Amino acid sequence: MSITAPAPGPRRGLGHGRTLAGTVLAAGGLTALTAGLVNTRGELALASIVLLYLAAVVVVAVVGGVWPALAAAVASDLLVNFYFVPPYHTLTVENRDHVITLVVYVAVAVTVSLAVDLAARQRAAAARNGVEAALLARISAEPVDAGSLERLLEQVRDTFGMTAAALLETDGGTERTVAAVGGIPSATPSLSVSASATLRLVADGPPVIAADQRLLTRLAAAAARTLQAERLAAEAAGARELAEVDRLRAALLAAVGHDLRTPLAGIKAATSSLREPDITLTGAEQAELLATVEESADRMDVLVENLLAMSRLQAGVLSADLRPAALDEIVAVAILHTPGAPVQVDVPDDLPLALVDPGLLERVVANLIANARRANPPGGRISVHGRHVGARLELAVVDHGPGVPADQRERMFAPFQRLDDHTTDGGLGLGLAIARGFTEAMGGTITPTDTPGGGLTMTMTLRAAP
């Protein structure tokens, strides 16, 4: 949840600033008005003079509120009496009509002041309610994410001018701080509002007025809802993580079960045939069965190696022994240990040495070549190219198979992903995940791109040795 709206601001009636402005206006305005009217004394009727002073009091009430207006009403009544009611320059009133005029004037001035102040306060209250409604609506509408509760507490602290705000929770008779901004509030906070049966909102700072208590109660309830939403989101994330772990475990068991059973079945059939006393085998047939046993054992060895490598990657315990090494030699060893369709190699022997772990890089190249062989059509060409680009070295494994759509290329690096490969000899789908993990452990990257004319090119970028 992101709360970015400006704070409603402190709520203290019309504020000290407006009261001071009204006082200054009353003093200055009445002085100026009196100075101007004294020069016209005798030309204007007393009723006209009184109305002019009443207008001034209304303006003071609008600007400064009731107290400056009341002061202006009393002061203007005295000024009218002193300067414009005979006998002049005294507070004595000899004419009964003048007495009535002055009394009615001050009564009307006070009434108007109160009415204007009340209207101003209602407008301020309406504006404040609008801001509060907008704030609460925004809090309710914003999606909850990590840190939403802290941002809401910051809004409370800034809105009411507090120094610290916190949400406390009572659990098992002990109260603990769930979230806090500006430090932990004191043991006797100036503000404490119940948020729920077990939660309360506390803050240190100036006291608040009754209207603020209403907003605080709503914000406290919003804080409780936000905390609940954050906990539900955390539980949902945990459930999704457990579901993903279960999915990976199920995929692992299914893949391992299938991929172990196939070579084991080959080994079992070959050895049973070799040990069957009723079957007479020629030398060529015995050699073929032994080759089947060896090939199946190699497949099991690769499978176990991949599982161990993936386990080290996911546990974060893989260590790379980086040292200068020749790419052409590593590629040659990798091809030698991955029997299959021939590979065309174009890795110059005069390339700068790469800063890599030779064992890990051999495994990466072997996995990429094995992946290219599975994707390549029968008789298709597979090639490995190496080149020097600035301070980096690039090693590309190129096939001419169906390729991989751009929107699926990231997914193929996930463990146990075989995309559209449904063959029985496709492995567990760990080869590319291991290749990326090993390459990144060496400080390199793997980037899949389209092969010109069709197919997929996997380009490793590695650091050159200094």
Side-chain angles (χ1 to χ4, degrees):
M1 179 170 59
S2 176
I3 304 170
T4 56
R11 296 165 173 79
R12 303 291 185 268
L14 296 180
H16 297 298
R18 290 189 59 177
T19 302
L20 179 61
T23 304
V24 172
L25 178 63
L30 292 180
T31 301
L33 180 62
T34 301
L37 291 177
V38 165
N39 296 327
T40 62
R41 185 167 55 193
E43 299 176 5
L44 294 177
L46 182 60
S48 298
I49 294 173
V50 166
L51 289 176
L52 289 174
Y53 276 100
L54 182 60
V57 171
V58 171
V59 173
V60 171
V62 171
V63 173
V66 64
W67 294 113
L70 290 176
V74 174
S76 60
D77 187 75
L78 295 175
L79 290 172
V80 170
N81 188 3
F82 191 80
Y83 287 104
F84 303 102
V85 175
Y88 300 130
H89 303 140
T90 69
L91 295 180
T92 303
V93 181
E94 296 178 345
N95 189 310
R96 186 177 58 185
D97 293 338
H98 291 165
V99 173
I100 295 174
T101 300
L102 291 174
V103 171
V104 172
Y105 163 74
V106 75
V108 171
V110 169
T111 303
V112 170
S113 299
L114 293 174
V116 171
D117 179 73
L118 179 61
R121 288 179 180 275
Q122 289 178 341
R123 286 198 302 273
R128 183 178 60 196
N129 291 337
V131 173
E132 292 176 2
L135 173 63
L136 293 171
R138 190 174 298 106
I139 290 174
S140 302
E142 292 287 347
V144 176
D145 55 23
S148 293
L149 183 56
E150 284 75 9
R151 289 194 291 274
L152 191 151
L153 293 176
E154 288 177 356
Q155 189 75 13
V156 172
R157 182 191 60 181
D158 297 341
T159 299
F160 298 98
M162 299 294 175
T163 57
L167 187 66
L168 308 182
E169 183 177 32
T170 302
D171 186 10
T174 304
E175 192 170 59
R176 65 181 183 87
T177 302
V178 178
V181 295
I184 304 299
S186 63
T188 55
S190 58
L191 181 154
S192 178
V193 181
S194 176
S196 69
T198 58
L199 296 170
R200 70 183 179 113
L201 177 68
V202 298
D204 277 338
V208 296
I209 62 176
D212 292 340
Q213 287 285 357
R214 182 185 58 192
L215 176 59
L216 277 170
T217 301
R218 295 177 178 176
L219 290 175
R225 290 195 299 271
T226 301
L227 175 63
Q228 184 181 20
E230 283 188 355
R231 288 176 172 173
L232 290 175
E235 291 176 1
R240 286 195 298 270
E241 184 176 350
L242 289 176
E244 180 64 15
V245 170
D246 287 342
R247 189 189 69 80
L248 289 176
R249 184 183 293 116
L252 173 64
L253 292 176
V256 170
H258 176 272
D259 284 30
L260 281 178
R261 187 180 299 114
T262 302
L264 276 175
I267 293 173
K268 172 64 176 175
T271 55
S272 295
S273 298
L274 289 170
R275 290 173 54 86
E276 179 60 51
D278 298 334
I279 300 177
T280 301
L281 300 174
T282 65
E285 291 172 336
Q286 291 179 0
E288 182 179 354
L289 290 173
L290 289 173
T292 300
V293 172
E294 183 179 14
E295 181 182 350
S296 298
D298 287 343
R299 289 180 59 186
M300 292 180 64
D301 180 65
V302 171
L303 173 63
V304 172
E305 284 294 329
N306 277 338
L307 289 172
L308 292 176
M310 199 66 228
S311 175
R312 293 201 303 274
L313 280 172
Q314 292 187 333
V317 296
L318 178 68
S319 61
D321 181 16
L322 302 181
R323 58 180 183 270
L327 289 183
D328 59 320
E329 295 177 1
I330 295 174
V331 170
V333 174
I335 294 175
L336 183 64
H337 291 165
T338 52
V343 177
Q344 180 180 346
V345 178
D346 177 23
V347 181
D349 56 8
D350 59 350
L351 282 178
L353 298 179
L355 186 63
V356 297
D357 183 319
L360 296 183
L361 182 58
E362 177 190 333
R363 188 62 178 280
V364 173
V365 174
N367 283 2
L368 293 181
I369 290 175
N371 187 71
R373 280 175 172 154
R374 281 193 293 271
N376 227 29
R381 179 168 52 86
I382 297 173
S383 56
V384 179
H385 305 274
R387 64 172 183 164
H388 183 205
V389 181
R392 315 287 289 183
L393 295 171
E394 288 186 355
L395 198 61
V397 178
V398 182
D399 70 56
H400 295 276
V404 177
D407 60 348
Q408 297 186 29
R409 288 174 184 168
E410 188 60 29
R411 190 163 66 92
M412 69 182 178
F413 288 104
F416 311 112
Q417 292 293 331
R418 294 172 57 183
L419 297 184
D420 295 329
D421 182 7
H422 301 298
T423 61
T424 59
D425 58 350
L428 294 174
L430 295 176
L432 293 181
I434 292 171
R436 169 177 275 187
F438 281 10
T439 303
E440 292 178 348
M442 294 184 289
T445 61
I446 292 182
T447 304
T449 57
D450 290 327
T451 300
L456 187 68
T457 297
M458 303 290 280
T459 302
M460 286 177 285
T461 302
L462 304 166
R463 289 180 290 176

